[in-house]
Amino acid sequence: MDEQNKTRPDLLAAIHDRTAKAGVIGLGYVGLPLAMSMARAGFTVIGFDVDPDKITQIEARRSYIDAVSNEVLASQCEAGRFSATVDFALLGDCDVIAICVPTPLTRHRDPDLSYVENTCRDIARHLRPGQLIVLESTTYPGTTEEVMKPILETSGLVCGRDFHLGYSPEREDPGNRDFDTSSIPKVVAGDGEVASQLMQAFYGAVVKTIVPVSNTRTAEAVKLTENVFRAVNIALVNELKLVYDAMGIDVWDVIDAAKTKPFGYMPFYPGPGLGGHCIPIDPFYLTWKSREYDQPTRFIELAGEINTAMPRYVVEKLAEALDRRLGRALSRSKVLVLGLAYKKNVPDIRESPSLRLMELLLERQADVSYHDPFIDEVPRTREYGHLKGRRSVALTPETVAGFDAVVIATDHDQIDYQALAKSAQLIVDTRNAFARRGIDSDRLVKA
């Protein structure tokens, strides 16, 4: 690459004619699908990740993300539009760099921006004039300006003059076959007028619909608002489940009837707890930031408390059912947790309530196993390292009959629920999986 092309003085023109090269840092559930969308739009894309196993799989044309097929990955690699590397020195070859790294919480529920900060330091070492740097990771309003910009400017380059900065929140929904990265409307914002033009031009070329907003803080707030909305409404139905259960009312019947109203109501459903990266974590980014402005977030924090308490509620319902129906203590029972993933039909265990359920059952000295058709073995996780290596048991009638109880934590579609109803001694259903399929059993308890 010659020096004139490397400094790219006119990035807008390069985006329009597809000669701009894109980089995506973090090739997980967000980054790899985004990289494929960029490549399909005609850009040459380099994927960056610190995990060499991911790079090895990509080079072997094997996708480890459900949203990206082996065929799509192979086609973009073989066309020369996508490659992956652990060599962050190649960031200097990229004109647009999208950051798709984790933004978890600390043990004290404070934002952990270490992945974003370390990534920005890597970029700063290779930053050059003319580049557009974009954060896609969910975070609190102000991160792009207050955290990213100062780190990037340690390079000696000035934001808005030498390089440009933007924010565009990811909106991935693992397992959703109706929408993919390119068809989901994308919120975009830039730090300044030129950055805004570049953001709109680049993402307008990658996805079908862009939604420009006035500044990066607004874009950051949009993502949090989407997830706070879901977290609060799920907490509401989780609380209603407890109230109606005490009254002998089936909350699922209530929701099914309520959703027939064609206006003024949107159905949300209870469960054993919240999972995935977004809903259990993102609202706490806003509550943390709001303290800086002396603004209470009681509503959001209460929703978090309700949702966090749901796994313990499920365990108590299980203990009660074992005692009343089988005359067994939980500490002397064999329990099968059905579904390790946080949602059905995906192999994604991020923040899965099933892991918390298993931990609580082990604390109560139950003999715990799990079955998940998508997850053969529990991988290493930050909070549940002691569960690593446990393997999914076979779901045969003989195996099921050997357990005192089966807890339906994730309602995968490929499970034979009719056969399960015949074999299980006791079933605790947290997802209404049996009623939705018209299966009735006197061994069934809803939780």
Side-chain angles (χ1 to χ4, degrees):
M1 181 180 291
D2 61 41
E3 190 60 29
Q4 181 180 3
N5 198 28
K6 189 176 179 66
T7 57
R8 189 72 72 187
D10 190 354
L11 179 54
L12 190 61
I15 290 171
H16 285 313
D17 64 21
R18 302 297 193 273
T19 58
K21 181 177 286 188
V24 176
I25 303 177
L27 299 176
Y29 286 91
V30 174
L32 189 60
L34 177 64
M36 292 299 100
S37 293
M38 292 176 178
R40 285 197 298 267
F43 294 101
T44 299
V45 185
I46 302 176
F48 298 86
D49 205 286
V50 296
D51 183 357
D53 290 339
K54 289 180 181 176
I55 309 305
T56 299
Q57 291 190 64
I58 289 171
E59 290 174 345
R61 311 302 191 252
R62 292 194 306 268
S63 175
Y64 46 87
I65 300 296
D66 188 53
V68 176
S69 68
N70 291 336
E71 292 74 20
V72 167
L73 178 62
S75 67
Q76 299 306 318
C77 289
E78 289 162 12
R81 286 190 292 270
F82 179 67
S83 60
T85 182
V86 295
D87 183 4
F88 281 61
L90 294 177
L91 287 168
D93 292 344
C94 301
D95 302 297
V96 179
I97 299 171
I99 301 171
C100 306
V101 297
T103 47
L105 295 171
T106 68
R107 290 186 177 275
H108 301 291
R109 293 194 176 278
D110 291 334
D112 178 3
L113 291 181
S114 59
Y115 296 93
V116 172
E117 293 167 349
N118 290 336
T119 298
C120 287
R121 293 185 187 101
D122 285 333
I123 295 172
R125 283 191 282 271
H126 307 287
L127 192 65
R128 60 169 172 78
Q131 288 180 305
L132 170 65
I133 314 300
V134 185
L135 180 62
E136 293 235 354
S137 307
T138 305
T139 187
Y140 60 80
T143 301
T144 305
E145 293 179 59
E146 299 167 6
V147 177
M148 289 184 62
K149 185 189 292 188
I151 294 175
L152 294 172
E153 288 186 336
T154 61
S155 64
L157 301 180
V158 177
C159 183
R161 185 192 71 188
D162 302 314
F163 70 93
H164 302 284
L165 194 56
Y167 183 79
S168 180
E170 58 88 3
R171 279 177 163 173
E172 289 297 318
D173 186 17
N176 191 328
R177 301 300 180 187
D178 296 325
F179 297 97
D180 60 18
T181 303
S182 60
S183 63
I184 299 171
K186 194 137 180 57
V187 174
V188 298
D191 184 22
E193 183 178 347
V194 174
S196 296
Q197 292 175 352
L198 292 171
M199 290 288 292
Q200 291 178 46
F202 180 72
Y203 281 100
V206 173
V207 302
K208 292 179 181 178
T209 305
I210 59 169
V211 183
V213 295
S214 55
N215 53 60
T216 57
R217 286 174 177 262
T218 300
E220 290 160 340
V222 168
K223 175 64 174 177
L224 291 183
T225 300
E226 294 169 1
N227 290 328
V228 166
F229 174 79
R230 294 169 67 193
V232 167
N233 280 280
I234 291 171
L236 173 62
V237 294
N238 276 331
E239 187 167 66
L240 288 174
K241 176 173 69 173
L242 305 183
V243 173
Y244 291 149
D245 181 53
M247 296 178 177
I249 300 170
D250 188 332
V251 69
W252 298 93
D253 288 347
V254 173
I255 295 170
D256 284 344
K259 72 182 184 183
T260 62
K261 184 180 180 182
F263 53 88
Y265 182 80
M266 178 185 295
F268 287 83
Y269 299 96
L274 290 183
H277 170 71
C278 293
I279 307 179
I281 292 177
D282 297 349
F284 291 103
Y285 269 68
L286 185 57
T287 61
W288 179 86
K289 187 63 175 178
S290 70
R291 296 178 199 137
E292 181 180 327
Y293 298 89
D294 294 324
Q295 289 294 319
T297 52
R298 292 188 293 269
F299 209 63
I300 299 172
E301 291 177 16
L302 176 60
E305 292 173 12
I306 292 170
N307 291 327
T308 301
M310 294 317 296
R312 194 171 293 278
Y313 164 78
V314 172
V315 170
E316 292 302 328
K317 289 286 287 187
L318 169 62
E320 178 186 323
L322 283 165
D323 180 44
R324 289 186 177 183
R325 294 178 178 238
L326 302 182
R328 295 187 67 87
L330 181 55
S331 61
R332 294 188 295 107
S333 299
K334 291 185 64 178
V335 180
L336 176 65
V337 175
L338 185 57
L340 195 65
Y342 83 88
K343 65 184 292 188
K344 67 179 183 179
N345 305 332
V346 300
D348 192 343
I349 68 163
R350 291 176 296 173
E351 307 297 327
S352 174
S354 297
L355 297 171
R356 178 60 175 156
L357 279 173
M358 292 176 68
E359 181 179 62
L360 289 172
L361 290 169
L362 289 169
E363 288 176 0
R364 297 282 291 269
Q365 298 182 332
D367 184 349
V368 184
S369 300
Y370 85 93
H371 171 81
D372 193 303
F374 296 92
I375 303 166
D376 294 331
E377 182 177 321
V378 181
R380 183 183 300 279
T381 59
R382 283 188 294 270
E383 292 188 50
Y384 303 100
H386 55 288
L387 298 178
K388 181 183 183 298
R390 286 176 174 260
R391 297 192 63 82
S392 176
V393 302
L395 200 67
T396 64
E398 295 77 19
T399 301
V400 171
F403 287 93
D404 298 299
V406 178
V407 178
I408 310 299
T410 313
D411 51 335
H412 293 304
D413 287 335
Q414 63 180 260
I415 300 299
D416 187 342
Y417 292 94
Q418 192 75 57
L420 190 61
K422 293 178 181 178
S423 304
Q425 298 186 56
L426 174 66
I427 300 168
V428 175
D429 187 357
T430 73
R431 299 286 189 177
N432 204 36
F434 286 84
R436 282 191 287 107
R437 292 169 173 82
I439 302 172
D440 192 20
S441 172
D442 58 3
R443 306 171 186 178
L444 181 65
V445 175
K446 292 186 180 182

